[in-house]
Amino acid sequence: MRKSRAASLPPTDLARRIGIILLSLGLLPAPRFAQQPLRRLVATGELPPPAPYEYRASVINNNGLDIRQGFLGSRVIYRTKWVGPVLRDHQINAARDVAFAVAEETGTLRGAIFLREAATGTMRRIVQIGDRTPEGEVFTRLLEFSLDDSRQILFTAETSGPPPEGGMARAGLFLADGSGIRTLLMTGAATSIGTILGFSNPRLTNDGRAYFTALMGADQGAIFRLVRGTLEPLVRTGDSGSAGGAISMPLLQAVSPQGDAIAFLNQAERALYVKTDTSMARVVKIGDAVPNVPGATFVDIVPPVNTIFPAFPFLVSPNSLAPNGELVFIAAFRRPNQQNPTLALYRYAGGSLQEIIRTGQNVGGFSVQFLSAPTFGEGGVIYCGAASRAILGGGLLRFAGNQRQAQEFPGATQTEENLPPYAINRQGHAVYDHIAVVLNENFGIPTGPFDKPAFGLNISLRLHTGSAPAETLLDPVRSASPDSPFLGFSNLVANRSGDLLFIGNVSGGRNLFRARDGAIELVVYQGQVIEGLKVRSVTEAAINDAGTIAIQAEIEAGSALFVRRGGTFQKVIASGDPLFSKRVVDIFDISLNQQDQIAFIANLADDTGANVQHLLLVARPTQTGYSMDTPIDLNALPRIRNTAPIFIMDIALADDGRIALTARAERDEAVILATPRQTGFGYTFQKIAESGGATPIGVTFRRGSELQIGGFTPEVFSSLQINAQGLVSFIGVVSRPNGGDVRAIFSYSGGQLTKVIADGDQTPEGLTIELLPFHSLAPTGKIVFLSLASGEPNLYLWEQGGLRLLLPARQQGPAGELLTPIPPLLVTDGRVVFAGVLLNAESRLAIYALTLN
């Protein structure tokens, strides 16, 4: 739902952009105070209401579109079962102890670090946000960590103290062991080459030496070694690099076991280096020619699912480096006219590169299609994770001299799969995810693990040791500790009666809460059972002025739409239910109006799961439940640039029954208004905007690109909303005559399309608008949005009288914190609710309400 008074999580690529903004907040201006009352509602690190919260190894979230190849070349549109890993940054030591971080699904905020001890089989929490530092500050955000063979963990974290010069969050380098946590360094520490403003990439050797990357100023950094309180800079910005160039921003990647060599990335050059005590050499850079592959050049690694395996220029693990600077790493290369890059494992020794294995090759009958976790093992043995089918069919590769061995992880069946390992220790023991597919019993027997669209995933963390069966380290579902705090927030939704709904992440689980009159109430928790259906994850919610709540949730074997009226939950429809002589496959994109009507998109299929039909449905309340109107089929919609639409992207339902929707054809997109017929059944349709069509600002909406198999993100129209009076608003991308694109907010009412605000417009303060792709439409027609100023988001209100700055970046908050507004955001009649990223506070993220004059 993108209806009035609702906002949802940004897509993965936009979230990444927001993350960059938050990591580069710049210099602090003088404090400024809001003229309107500003109140903090809830913050990360605070405890949610007591409940039996749980977390799973991954979040299943119906939060995107997945385009698959169907029978005889046809395309089938499914809702993406997006997997957001809850466990991150796995590491394993020689004793097979495993450490990992628990994060909310985008991975932006890591909330706790856990250690699973092999000797006892027990798991203990090392640190979590909300804990106190040795100096009495509060941990607000955990960043990265390193595990040694003695179970010591070196980690970096942001804390609640005053920011250092330069405006970054206050942070520190800490060491945790059996006796507690020690502070090694804090931002503001003076060194022989400058003041430390931030920490990243910690690495810990078994003799207690700590290595890390330090931010020393704008675009300046250094790699340090800390030994018994003495800091030694190893590499810094300005050092001589290769071919007469200089190091720009070094980022530590790996340290040899004895600490005699380090591997690092030079960020601007996108090059991989190895430095020993006596020399420094560039190993490879993006754009270099690939040895023994004519015409090929190295390119960035882009994994098939980058929410699980992130993208890098080159993949180096903490165990990639051997004594004397020998290095193993994974790189990607592309030949001319090659669409999908090839991944390859390389060994660097004596100044030369040796290719060991590449995707598309076979090792002992194992077809290598993906590579992970390059590791230099004991005795010169090289290990690498691999997958035989995209990122499925996980296993371990072993190279020793002329011996090449592959061992596929056990337990793979028609409905169970293994991912390639996240981490491998120097003894060849690997940590990986095992996936069990939970099929909907109403559909037929599958021919492959992901052939049936109605399913759930149970993911467990396993340990491979080679000879014995794999050991399960973590079961698919675990109870969260009672003192587990909020890790993040999304999907803000409010009504005009003062209720605010939000999805709060607790221990990686997505739960629905309501805030009213200063109190937080739990509405739905992950693991709750409603009419026999267990909630795996809350994807989306809506609330109207009467307090009716609609909830779209992932369940054990698909998805479901629930409603809560008068304090009682009721299932509206779920995967597997019969409907229009077919069965429901998936449900997504809900929108609720004041009459308790719920619009949503659904995929239907026959009993075998084939012949998928894509529909827009409206559920109307009855005395006993809900009934379904005649659906809107794709064939009823107007053609888009003379091409039939193939799926609906977004919907918004008005109180009078009108539905605004965005639809996609093979290449292009359109915004369409569906109006119920005055007599009879069905709707009349009107195109408001389409790709290549005219705009009110003298240019045309941009064209989309050719549709590809895989994940899909809207390219032209987004953030669709409608208010009670049928005013439609959306964000559209338009093409400039001289090239380039401009983002603008448009409104539609009474047959007229109007520009609200666009990139390049001027604000009352003389700043140039640069829109972020989020906005919110109030019942009265007011619009709030975010615009970048010097790279930082400012919050604005547009109304008929003009444009007004509501909140600039780095606003001083109610308790003296410095806050910068970010998505999600929404506006009601009398207030704006938004998320804020904080400095000088005991939380890193909070939800605020700003009362409008």
Side-chain angles (χ1 to χ4, degrees), residues 156-178:
T156 59
E158 294 175 355
T159 68
S160 59
E165 180 184 355
M168 301 295 289
R170 180 166 169 81
L173 183 71
F174 303 91
L175 184 67
D177 55 25

Side-chain angles (χ1 to χ4, degrees), residues 442-620:
N442 295 288
F443 292 98
I445 302 300
T447 58
F450 296 107
D451 284 356
K452 298 304 166 193
F455 63 85
L457 300 178
N458 283 330
I459 301 177
S460 57
L461 186 66
R462 293 190 174 182
L463 172 66
H464 170 80
T465 58
S467 55
E471 178 185 358
T472 299
L473 304 179
L474 287 175
D475 292 321
V477 183
R478 292 184 64 90
S479 297
S481 172
D483 62 348
S484 298
F486 283 117
L487 297 186
F489 312 105
S490 62
N491 194 219
L492 302 182
V493 186
N495 61 16
R496 289 173 287 191
S497 303
D499 296 301
L500 169 70
L501 295 183
F502 64 91
I503 294 176
N505 193 300
V506 180
S507 285
R510 290 167 58 91
N511 312 274
L512 184 64
F513 298 88
R514 174 162 57 184
R516 183 182 176 89
D517 299 329
I520 304 294
E521 169 201 350
L522 177 64
V523 179
V524 176
Y525 61 89
Q526 185 170 300
Q528 184 171 341
V529 177
I530 302 174
E531 293 193 16
L533 301 175
K534 186 175 182 180
V535 175
R536 296 182 59 114
S537 177
V538 179
T539 296
E540 191 176 6
I543 187 170
N544 63 20
D545 292 348
T548 298
I549 298 174
I551 301 157
Q552 192 273 307
E554 288 300 289
I555 55 177
E556 288 295 321
S559 55
L561 174 61
F562 300 107
V563 67
R564 189 173 93 159
R565 293 192 290 176
T568 301
F569 284 102
Q570 181 182 14
K571 183 195 78 171
V572 177
I573 200 163
S575 294
D577 286 354
L579 186 65
F580 304 131
S581 301
K582 290 196 171 188
R583 290 192 182 274
V584 176
V585 174
D586 250 333
I587 299 148
F588 40 93
D589 272 357
I590 63 173
S591 185
L592 171 71
N593 67 12
Q594 300 297 340
Q595 280 68 49
D596 286 357
Q597 299 165 355
I598 307 170
F600 62 96
I601 304 171
N603 283 340
L604 308 185
D606 60 26
D607 286 346
T608 68
N611 300 312
V612 175
Q613 187 178 9
H614 189 70
L615 302 173
L616 193 162
L617 296 165
V618 176
R620 296 185 184 275

Side-chain angles (χ1 to χ4, degrees), residues 1-7 492-496 541-545 590-594 651-655 660 719-729 775-782 825-829:
M1 167 183 162
R2 306 295 183 270
K3 187 175 176 282
S4 164
R5 309 184 299 281
L492 302 182
V493 186
N495 61 16
R496 289 173 287 191
I543 187 170
N544 63 20
D545 292 348
I590 63 173
S591 185
L592 171 71
N593 67 12
Q594 300 297 340
I651 59 171
L653 176 64
D655 290 347
S719 195
L720 177 70
Q721 303 185 30
I722 192 169
N723 68 6
Q725 294 74 36
L727 173 68
V728 178
S729 67
H775 85 294
S776 179
L777 172 67
T780 56
K782 297 178 181 179
L825 69 159
L826 66 92
V827 59
T828 61
D829 288 340

Side-chain angles (χ1 to χ4, degrees), residues 688-689 694-701 717 727-734 736 742-749 751-763 767-771 775 777 781 783 785 798-803:
I688 295 173
T695 73
I697 54 178
V699 291
T700 59
F701 289 109
F717 303 111
L727 173 68
V728 178
S729 67
F730 60 91
I731 293 179
V733 180
V734 301
R736 290 173 170 157
V742 172
R743 186 178 285 127
I745 300 174
F746 296 91
S747 66
Y748 178 85
S749 180
Q752 185 73 31
L753 185 64
T754 305
K755 183 203 79 171
V756 174
I757 196 79
D759 288 348
D761 290 350
Q762 295 296 298
T763 71
L767 300 174
T768 300
I769 291 291
E770 183 181 352
L771 291 171
H775 85 294
L777 172 67
I783 290 175
F785 63 91
W798 176 90
E799 52 190 339
Q800 290 299 331
L803 187 64

